[in-house]
Amino acid sequence: MLTIYHAPGTRSMRVIWLCHELGLPIEIETIPFTADFRASPEWRQKSPTGKVPAMQDGALVMFESGAMVDYILDRYGEGRLRPQPGSHADAIYRQWCWFAEATLARPIGDVAQHTRVRAPEDRIPAVADDARQRALAFLQVVDQSLAQTDYLLPEGFTAADIMMGYSLMLGERLGVWDAHLTHLVAYYERLKTRPGFQVAATA
Ligand SMILES: N[C@@H](CCC(=O)N[C@@H](CS)C(=O)NCC(=O)O)C(=O)O
């Protein structure tokens, strides 16, 4: 069985949500999201950078939430929640998966670092402000892409929406985006109605 090392409000939410959508049994091990725990040798064995999440499947131990999503879909997905590899739709699917973490979550993560994660004396307000502006510019791209479709892919809900959903949840919690992004707001409301989102967001 998959074990997901989870801290509420973190990217482990993506992995829990995905497993719920696929109906996969998982064990959730909740870990403290403290600097001390994340620096501990026990945690660094699973996640060498100290970041959350980590995941175990038998002898396999992984860090990086997007890689976990890929692995789970490859091994247990049976073709669900993503397009046929190599297809046009798959290229767009991968584009949004990467965008959600590599492009959008980066400035949102900087906002988190400089408003919540770092010790108060290590926070730089100007970095947080600049990161908010960068995040907003990227969110506008997502908003526009959703003008004609309910999900990132016109074909329907995929794991790219799970990747994006967490980035949006983090952005919402940090007040990075607001109601003027109307397509984005409607999309996020749509994602929130999914039972997998609700389970993962409250785990
Ligand atoms: N790209 C990594 C990012 C992991 C990450 O930044 N995790 C956050 C929580 S969601 C974290 O552990 N932050 C603590 C820190 O950066 O010190 C992934 O997708 O797993």
Side-chain angles (χ1 to χ4, degrees), residues 40-153:
S40 68
E42 173 199 353
W43 181 243
R44 295 281 168 141
Q45 271 191 343
K46 295 186 171 59
S47 178
T49 62
K51 290 178 185 284
V52 180
M55 183 186 90
Q56 187 151 6
D57 189 17
L60 173 72
V61 181
M62 290 180 77
F63 52 94
E64 284 297 332
S65 64
M68 293 172 205
V69 166
D70 281 351
Y71 167 77
I72 291 168
L73 289 175
D74 281 349
R75 189 162 172 90
Y76 303 110
E78 298 171 343
R80 291 170 289 169
L81 296 184
R82 81 169 178 209
Q84 177 73 21
S87 64
H88 177 110
D90 183 53
I92 305 301
Y93 164 81
R94 286 168 198 260
Q95 166 196 284
W96 285 123
C97 286
W98 280 84
F99 177 96
E101 180 59 20
T103 300
L104 177 58
R106 193 169 169 187
I108 296 177
D110 287 344
V111 175
Q113 286 285 340
H114 289 276
T115 59
R116 295 190 184 186
V117 177
R118 294 189 185 190
E121 63 274 19
D122 296 331
R123 297 175 192 169
I124 306 171
V127 172
D129 291 345
D130 176 66
R132 269 181 207 283
Q133 295 311 313
R134 285 184 285 130
L136 201 53
F138 298 147
L139 286 164
Q140 281 160 356
V141 171
V142 185
D143 182 66
Q144 282 313 302
S145 80
L146 289 163
Q148 309 293 338
T149 58
D150 282 353
Y151 296 104
L152 293 170
L153 266 68

Side-chain angles (χ1 to χ4, degrees), residues 5-7 10-12 31-33 38 43 47 49-54:
Y5 296 93
H6 169 64
T10 72
R11 285 164 174 80
S12 43
I31 54 129
F33 192 65
R38 286 186 284 109
W43 181 243
S47 178
T49 62
K51 290 178 185 284
V52 180

Side-chain angles (χ1 to χ4, degrees), residues 152-185:
L152 293 170
L153 266 68
E155 290 82 357
F157 180 81
T158 65
D161 298 299
I162 294 177
M163 291 297 291
M164 189 69 78
Y166 172 74
S167 301
L168 296 183
M169 186 179 94
L170 185 60
E172 184 198 41
R173 290 184 175 178
L174 294 166
V176 169
W177 53 281
D178 57 40
H180 83 278
L181 298 170
T182 54
H183 307 303
L184 191 81
V185 169

